[in-house]
Amino acid sequence: MDDREIIDNIGGLVSEERDLRDRSTRDRTGLSADERSRLRTVEAQLEQYWDLLRRRRALSEFGEDPSGAKVRPPGEVEGYQN
């Protein structure tokens, strides 16, 4: 996966996240259990892709092969602070 694919995935996930958050505030009933679960999944995937993109760019910046960076499990990147 190259940077363009990662950025495209991030864009799709951001769009889905916005849609879910809009629905959660627009509808008085909020999100269903499945939608809340999907929102948590989307949030975790976003963190994973942002982490991957940062690590790929860091490798490239220091003259290393960015393809060496792989997606890390959600537990390793959730709540990551710069």
Side-chain angles (χ1 to χ4, degrees):
M1 183 179 314
D2 64 16
D3 287 1
R4 174 62 20 218
E5 290 173 295
I6 295 168
I7 292 168
D8 288 346
N9 285 333
I10 289 170
L13 289 166
V14 166
S15 178
E16 185 176 359
E17 180 187 34
R18 283 182 183 152
D19 180 54
L20 287 166
R21 289 190 185 283
D22 286 348
R23 276 192 275 159
S24 75
T25 58
R26 184 178 54 235
D27 301 336
R28 291 180 183 206
T29 58
L31 297 176
S32 69
D34 287 342
E35 290 170 321
R36 285 191 305 274
S37 175
R38 179 61 188 157
L39 180 57
R40 285 189 299 274
T41 298
V42 167
E43 290 168 339
Q45 289 175 331
L46 275 169
E47 289 186 37
Q48 287 176 290
Y49 279 121
W50 280 117
D51 173 69
L52 177 60
L53 187 60
R54 282 190 298 269
R55 288 185 300 111
R56 284 180 55 85
R57 289 180 173 174
L59 287 170
S60 183
E61 182 178 337
F62 291 98
E64 296 183 37
D65 182 7
S67 67
K70 303 296 179 211
V71 175
R72 295 193 293 183
E76 287 186 35
V77 298
E78 287 180 329
Y80 175 79
Q81 301 293 315
N82 290 328

